Amino acid sequence: MRWLPLARPPRHRTPRNHFVTAGISPDVTCRELIDCIADYLDGGLDAETLAAFEHHVGNCQSCREYLRSYRMTMQLARLLQ
């Protein structure tokens, strides 16, 4: 079986005022949002956090790639069970 490489977690900070419209601190990092991925995929985020998460992922290529990789990994893990 061939294993696919995982995307690296993003390491940059989001631009200032990126999350102000969602009511979240503008200092939220990509890493902090990556920590919410499992809850996001399980539908466990509150509306405010969900909006900020989706806004960030919509504007951050690195986080989109990481989310895609995470989803693929979870699908592969389910197939192996």
Side-chain angles (χ1 to χ4, degrees):
M1 170 180 266
R2 183 169 176 248
W3 293 98
L4 300 174
L6 296 177
R8 289 185 184 172
R11 295 180 188 248
H12 65 279
R13 293 183 75 78
T14 57
R16 280 208 157 299
N17 298 325
H18 189 72
F19 293 100
V20 171
T21 57
I24 293 178
S25 166
D27 292 327
V28 173
T29 64
C30 293
R31 172 62 83 185
E32 290 168 329
L33 288 180
I34 294 301
D35 291 340
C36 297
I37 284 182
D39 291 333
Y40 171 75
L41 294 175
D42 291 338
L45 297 180
D46 60 74
E48 184 178 355
T49 305
L50 176 63
F53 185 98
E54 289 179 339
H55 182 318
H56 179 84
V57 169
N59 291 294
C60 180
Q61 178 67 33
S62 297
C63 286
R64 275 194 304 277
E65 284 299 313
Y66 189 77
L67 178 59
R68 182 193 60 77
S69 175
Y70 188 93
R71 280 184 171 137
M72 195 176 345
T73 301
M74 296 306 293
Q75 291 171 350
L76 290 171
R78 283 187 207 110
L79 290 173
L80 295 174
Q81 290 181 352

